[in-house]
Each structure stands twice: as structure tokens, then as C-alpha cells.
Amino acid sequence: MIEHLDGAVIPTGFDVPVEPLRRAAHYTGEPGCIAEARSFAAHFVDQLRTEWCARIGERASGEVMLVVSELVTNADRHSNGPYILELEGTDSTVTVCVYDSSDALPLRFPKDPQRVGRHGLEIVHAVAAEVTAERVPVGKRVRALLTFRD
């Protein structure tokens, strides 16, 4: 924040960022990539807390980790190549995007407690405010928007 005092500009040291914090990471699909993606996301959430003064509680932080885990796991299992994790955040939202080389859009199965596995997208839809999947020139992009609640 900058105060204007009779024509003088005085920096107060509390400048607020105006652009969202953006980070991206590339993964090859080698063992350990999912854990690396979770670590990358945890560091990103810490940066939001520091740089944006975002009030991200343990539950919201856990939801970000869960969505990253589910989307990266899907990319790891269902694509034939590397994938990209892209994170964008402010003091009130985090967007998780995963790009992979498969153009097959993910399927969201109906709730079925008898089904073993394939609950990932169901979980993402449960915690995210918005989920989209679309084909892009490199394959597909799955995007989840999370909002922080007090």
C-alpha cells in the first residue's frame, strides 16, 4: 500500500500482489511423481499464505493436496506420456490444472459404494467449486477451482 501525503508518496511496506500466484511443474510419470506433485502443491499453498496473506486452514490445504493427488494420479495412470501440473491462486481461491497427452476426457461414474476404485473424479467434484475437462492441442486439460471458506 502506498500513502499519498501532500504530494509525497510514502511506501508503507504492505503492498498487496495484484496478479495471482502461478506455478507449474512437469512430470515424466516415473515413480515418485505423485509425491513430488503433492510436495510442489504444499509449497505453493505456503507461498500463498506468505505472499498473499491467504488464510488457508488445514482443511482447505488438505483439499488442495487431495485434488492434486487425484488429478495427477489420473494423468499418471491414463496418459501415455508426461503431464503438467499448473497451480494458480489468490487469497480466496486455488485453481489446479493438469495437462496430459491423452485426449480421452475423464468419466465421472455415478456414486456406487460397491465399486472398488474409480472414485477420483467423484472426490474432486465433491470438494471443488467447479470442475472442467476439455481437449487441448496436446491432449486434455482437467481444471478444478477450489474456494477457501472461513
Side-chain angles (χ1 to χ4, degrees), residues 38 41-42 44-45 48 56 58-70 87 94 96 127 146 148:
R38 286 178 54 87
F44 180 83
V45 168
L48 277 177
I56 304 172
E58 289 305 311
R59 180 185 176 114
S61 177
E63 288 175 354
V64 172
M65 297 306 120
L66 180 61
V67 169
V68 166
S69 290
E70 292 299 333
L87 301 171
V94 167
V96 178
V127 299
L146 294 108
F148 305 133

Side-chain angles (χ1 to χ4, degrees), residues 3 36 53 65 70 77 83 98 121:
E3 292 184 21
E36 287 177 29
C53 300
M65 297 306 120
E70 292 299 333
R77 288 185 179 164
Y83 45 91
V98 176
L121 208 51

Side-chain angles (χ1 to χ4, degrees), residues 23-38:
R23 299 289 182 265
H26 176 269
Y27 299 97
T28 61
E30 297 294 317
C33 284
I34 297 166
E36 287 177 29
R38 286 178 54 87

Side-chain angles (χ1 to χ4, degrees), residues 46-58:
D46 287 342
Q47 280 186 289
L48 277 177
R49 287 179 176 135
T50 303
E51 296 176 23
W52 271 86
C53 300
R55 293 181 181 171
I56 304 172
E58 289 305 311

Side-chain angles (χ1 to χ4, degrees), residues 54-112:
R55 293 181 181 171
I56 304 172
E58 289 305 311
R59 180 185 176 114
S61 177
E63 288 175 354
V64 172
M65 297 306 120
L66 180 61
V67 169
V68 166
S69 290
E70 292 299 333
L71 295 183
V72 168
T73 297
N74 285 349
D76 194 73
R77 288 185 179 164
H78 302 293
S79 70
N80 294 322
Y83 45 91
I84 296 170
L85 169 63
E86 183 179 82
L87 301 171
E88 180 177 294
T90 67
D91 61 342
S92 61
T93 64
V94 167
T95 302
V96 178
C97 289
V98 176
Y99 295 83
D100 68 47
S101 59
S102 170
D103 64 354
L105 296 177
L107 298 174
R108 182 178 173 197
F109 295 98
K111 292 181 181 181
D112 180 0

